[in-house]
């Protein structure tokens, strides 16, 4: 299916993230007849049109809750209602409202939505579960029947000054699928650029893929922003300085620490986050798209809020969680604040995307001279493969500078003991034309160079779960064996 172009796009993209292609084919929309709900339905239909998809509307009505509340309030009714006959009549009226009336109201919401979808030739399905609205919405997102949930930030209970309604807030925290929150009832997605927040995490890269895809579908530009905060660390160090005694400052080497830390924060953080943006640009270019990028300084949510206020995007796409998330978090702090404070629609993305290692390394990783020299000792025919493995090892541990020690730790996993050195010697000799021995002699040379481990020593070593520590212990044990003029570790 052909799509409109986006900004400086040069070719049509095929954006994919882990778990399959970015999909808008099955959209779930929360209905309540509010202005926000109406806009949510309109945006869902527009997005669905680009994917030849279908719409499911959902409205939950809490019949049992209303029944309990009516019974609790009976004692507060005016005296005329306390006559037995009148009370029974009122109960019948309310039971009829609960039994049929709420269902009729829900059907009416669906009828309006069905007409909107019919005009765009979008298939429409109805969900009218009984129960607490936020709980039934979350249950629907957990069925694996939908790709995206679209809902209004506010509902019928909105009052001046409201930012996020309780239903929206509860659902956003619990939804396991991408969630699009409509905050501006007068402006459509696509009426301005799409901004995506980047922090180097796989989930922010997934948000980038989603932003690129929606931007292409709607023919709008995509801007990538990343924010780092050098000021917090400056303030923290100065606060620490105020409570340290002179003697404690000397022990802590505070002045040296402060100088080093400032240099790391001032240049290091900026370099890291600029690297994340460079990776984002590389990812976009792979799919034939050029994006605008901007490095921001300051508290992350505040810096992005200021950017959004100036750029006036129609959509902000952010990861539901950030790079510092742990398993206990339901939503990241910056994501939560941005959801509350920006005026445009917000898509909380949960897809992940892992860029190619070489793409990330080119923008974010550097090697010390010693590490580069160390790599020259790796046989040439496996050097590229080893380099990729070392990059992966470093990235998994959060390193942006690869040192000789990291090379040693990583290669200790790839090639246990000193097999790497032995193989390197053979390759060097072969490439220099010095290797004239028979295959049997070559095998003997390798055997003599490789340190042997007996079964008990191997079991002990393999019992160490920390791979870096295991590599260190391996080298220490072999060094001791060589010191005892042995080629066997026991």
């Amino acid at each position: 299916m052909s799509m409109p172009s986006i900004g400086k796009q040069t070719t049509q993209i095929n954006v994919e993230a882990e778990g399959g292609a970015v999909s808008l084919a099955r959209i779930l929309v929360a209905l309540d007849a509010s202005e926000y709900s109406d806009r949510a339905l309109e945006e869902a239909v527009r997005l669905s049109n680009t994917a030849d998809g279908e719409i499911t509307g959902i409205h939950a009505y809490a019949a049992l809750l209303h029944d309990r509340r009516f019974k609790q309030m009976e004692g507060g009714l005016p005296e005329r209602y306390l006559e037995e006959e009148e009370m029974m009549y009122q109960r019948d009226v309310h039971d009829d409202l609960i039994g049929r009336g709420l269902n009729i109201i829900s059907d009416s919401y669906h009828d309006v939505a069905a007409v909107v979808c019919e005009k765009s030739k979008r298939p429409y399905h109805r969900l009218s579960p009984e129960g607490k609205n936020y709980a039934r919405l979350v249950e629907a997102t957990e069925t694996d029947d939908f790709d995206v949930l679209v809902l209004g930030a506010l509902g019928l209970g909105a009052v001046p000054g409201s930012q996020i309604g309780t239903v929206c807030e509860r659902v956003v925290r619990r939804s396991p699928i991408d969630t699009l929150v409509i905050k501006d009832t007068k402006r459509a997605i696509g009426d301005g650029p799409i901004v995506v927040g980047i922090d180097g995490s796989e989930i922010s890269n997934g948000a980038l893929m989603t932003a690129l895809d929606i931007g292409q579908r709607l023919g709008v530009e995509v801007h990538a922003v990343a924010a780092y905060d050098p000021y917090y660390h400056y303030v923290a160090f100065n606060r620490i300085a105020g409570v340290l005694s002179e003697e404690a400052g000397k022990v802590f080497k505070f002045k040296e620490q402060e100088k080093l830390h400032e240099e790391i924060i001032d240049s290091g953080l900026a370099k890291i986050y600029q690297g994340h943006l460079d990776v984002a640009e590389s990812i976009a270019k792979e799919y034939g798209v050029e994006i605008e990028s901007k490095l921001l300084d300051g508290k992350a949510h505040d810096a992005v809020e200021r950017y959004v206020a100036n750029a006036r995007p129609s959509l902000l796409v952010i990861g539901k969680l950030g790079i510092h998330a742990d398993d206990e978090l339901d939503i990241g702090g910056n994501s939560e604040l941005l959801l509350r404070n920006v005026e445009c629609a917000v898509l909380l993305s949960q897809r992940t995307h892992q860029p190619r290692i070489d793409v990330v390394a080119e923008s974010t990783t550097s090697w010390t001279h010693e590490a580069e020299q160390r790599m020259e000792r790796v046989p040439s025919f496996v050097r590229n493969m080893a380099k990729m493995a070392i990059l992966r090892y470093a990235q998994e541990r959060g390193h942006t500078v690869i040192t000789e020690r990291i090379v040693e730790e990583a290669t200790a996993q790839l090639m246990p003991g000193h097999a790497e050195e032995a193989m390197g010697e053979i390759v060097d000799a072969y490439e220099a034309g010095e290797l004239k021995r028979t295959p049997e002699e070559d095998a003997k040379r390798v055997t003599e160079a490789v340190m042997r481990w007996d079964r008990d020593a191997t079991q002990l070593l393999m019992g160490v779960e920390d791979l870096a520590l295991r590599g260190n212990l391996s080298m220490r044990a072999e060094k001791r064996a060589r010191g005892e003029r042995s080629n066997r570790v026991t």
Side-chain angles (χ1 to χ4, degrees):
M1 179 173 61
S2 62
M3 296 289 182
S5 61
I6 165 177
K8 303 173 183 177
Q9 181 176 330
T10 57
T11 59
Q12 180 167 329
I13 64 175
N14 178 23
V15 179
E16 292 191 359
E18 291 179 19
V22 175
S23 177
L24 297 170
R26 305 172 302 165
I27 299 180
L28 178 67
V29 187
L31 306 175
D32 68 1
S34 67
E35 291 184 11
Y36 291 90
S37 169
D38 293 344
R39 171 58 70 182
L41 177 62
E42 290 177 21
E43 296 303 324
V45 170
R46 290 178 68 242
L47 292 173
S48 181
N49 282 337
T50 70
D52 195 23
E54 56 189 40
I55 303 290
T56 299
I58 179 170
H59 176 260
Y61 58 95
L64 295 179
L65 173 65
H66 283 83
D67 186 50
R68 288 197 301 270
R69 292 298 289 165
F70 181 78
K71 290 175 180 176
Q72 291 169 354
M73 291 186 293
E74 284 181 344
L77 290 172
E79 188 173 345
R80 70 176 186 275
Y81 291 105
L82 299 181
E83 296 290 338
E84 185 80 16
E85 184 177 351
E86 181 65 23
M87 177 61 70
M88 295 306 297
Y89 173 75
Q90 292 300 328
R91 286 178 177 177
D92 288 341
V93 170
H94 193 262
D95 287 345
D96 191 50
L97 171 64
I98 296 300
R100 295 191 305 116
L102 290 179
N103 194 41
I104 291 173
I105 292 171
S106 186
D107 283 344
S108 298
Y109 292 166
H110 284 302
D111 290 342
V112 172
V115 171
V116 173
C117 290
E118 185 178 356
K119 289 180 180 178
S120 294
K121 296 182 172 55
R122 290 294 105 223
Y124 182 75
H125 310 284
R126 303 174 181 228
L127 284 178
S128 300
E130 197 287 327
K132 289 283 285 183
N133 42 18
Y134 87 88
R136 299 292 87 83
L137 266 172
V138 173
E139 284 180 2
T141 65
E142 293 172 339
T143 61
D144 200 33
D145 291 332
F146 307 104
D147 303 308
V148 181
L149 166 66
V150 186
L151 76 165
L154 298 167
L156 294 174
V159 296
S162 296
Q163 293 176 306
I164 296 292
T166 54
V167 172
C168 178
E169 184 168 18
R170 290 171 179 174
V171 171
V172 162
R173 290 182 176 278
R174 295 166 173 81
S175 170
I177 62 176
D178 287 4
T179 303
L180 173 59
V181 179
I182 302 301
K183 301 195 67 182
D184 189 342
T185 61
K186 308 299 183 184
R187 198 162 178 239
I189 296 173
D191 287 349
I194 295 173
V195 172
V196 57
I198 302 294
D199 67 5
S201 63
E202 291 185 13
I203 201 166
S204 82
N205 289 326
L208 171 66
M209 305 299 275
T210 298
L212 291 173
D213 182 66
I214 294 177
Q216 182 205 28
R217 292 172 186 271
L218 301 181
V220 294
E221 293 181 347
V222 174
H223 300 180
V225 297
Y228 74 104
D229 185 7
Y231 312 109
Y232 168 78
H233 299 85
Y234 178 80
V235 172
F237 256 79
N238 279 276
R239 292 293 185 186
I240 294 171
V243 298
L244 286 178
S245 66
E246 183 177 351
E247 183 177 352
K250 290 178 181 178
V251 173
F252 186 63
K253 296 182 178 179
F254 184 81
K255 290 299 181 183
E256 293 89 339
Q257 294 276 5
E258 183 182 33
K259 183 174 184 295
L260 174 63
H261 204 256
E262 279 191 17
E263 290 176 351
I264 290 174
I265 296 304
D266 289 346
S267 59
L269 271 181
K271 182 179 178 182
I272 288 170
Y273 282 87
Q274 183 59 56
H276 296 331
L277 289 175
D278 293 342
V279 170
E281 290 183 3
S282 297
I283 292 173
K285 285 180 180 178
E286 286 186 2
Y287 297 102
V289 179
E290 290 187 18
I291 61 174
E292 292 188 21
S293 66
K294 180 73 172 178
L295 180 64
L296 312 172
D297 66 324
K299 195 72 174 176
H301 73 86
D302 182 63
V304 175
E305 285 172 30
R306 285 186 274 112
Y307 182 89
V308 167
N310 290 326
R312 297 203 72 245
S314 58
L315 175 66
L316 172 65
V317 184
I318 50 178
K320 184 179 178 182
L321 297 170
I323 197 166
H324 300 302
D326 57 50
D327 293 339
E328 302 301 319
L329 276 181
D330 51 9
I331 186 173
N334 287 308
S335 299
E336 182 175 10
L337 289 167
L338 286 167
L339 175 63
R340 288 180 176 279
N341 297 336
V342 300
E343 295 182 355
C344 65
V346 178
L347 195 158
L348 292 158
S349 175
Q350 302 195 60
R351 292 185 174 90
T352 60
H353 176 70
Q354 176 61 59
R356 295 200 323 270
I357 291 175
D358 57 330
V359 172
V360 176
E362 184 177 352
S363 300
T364 63
T365 307
S366 57
W367 296 64
T368 65
H369 297 307
E370 291 79 5
E372 290 178 340
Q373 292 172 0
R374 182 73 171 77
M375 287 302 298
E376 292 300 318
R377 295 161 56 187
V378 177
S380 58
F381 57 83
V382 295
R383 192 171 295 150
N384 286 339
M385 182 178 67
K387 189 173 183 179
M388 290 298 104
I390 292 166
L391 284 170
R392 184 179 294 107
Y393 178 91
Q395 288 174 9
E396 288 173 352
R397 288 155 181 78
H399 294 293
T400 56
V401 178
I402 297 178
T403 62
E404 185 177 14
R405 178 165 182 172
I406 291 174
V407 174
E408 290 175 350
E409 291 174 358
T411 53
Q413 295 183 48
L414 294 171
M415 305 180 72
H418 292 274
E420 173 213 347
E421 293 181 13
M423 185 177 292
E425 290 177 12
I426 293 172
V427 172
D428 290 343
Y430 180 83
E431 291 179 347
E434 299 173 356
L435 202 59
K436 304 298 182 181
R437 291 176 292 274
T438 65
E440 291 76 14
E441 290 173 327
D442 290 340
K444 181 180 180 183
R445 187 182 181 205
V446 173
T447 301
E448 291 172 349
V450 175
M451 187 69 66
R452 299 291 186 180
W453 286 64
D454 70 17
R455 184 178 62 181
D456 293 339
T458 301
Q459 287 179 346
L460 282 173
L461 185 66
M462 292 299 104
V464 179
E465 294 185 359
D466 188 315
L467 296 179
L469 179 57
R470 186 191 301 174
N472 288 345
L473 290 173
S474 172
M475 289 182 282
R476 285 173 177 268
E478 292 182 2
K479 178 177 176 62
R480 179 167 180 174
R482 288 197 304 275
E484 296 176 357
R485 299 184 180 280
S486 172
N487 68 343
R488 186 175 183 83
V489 177
T490 63

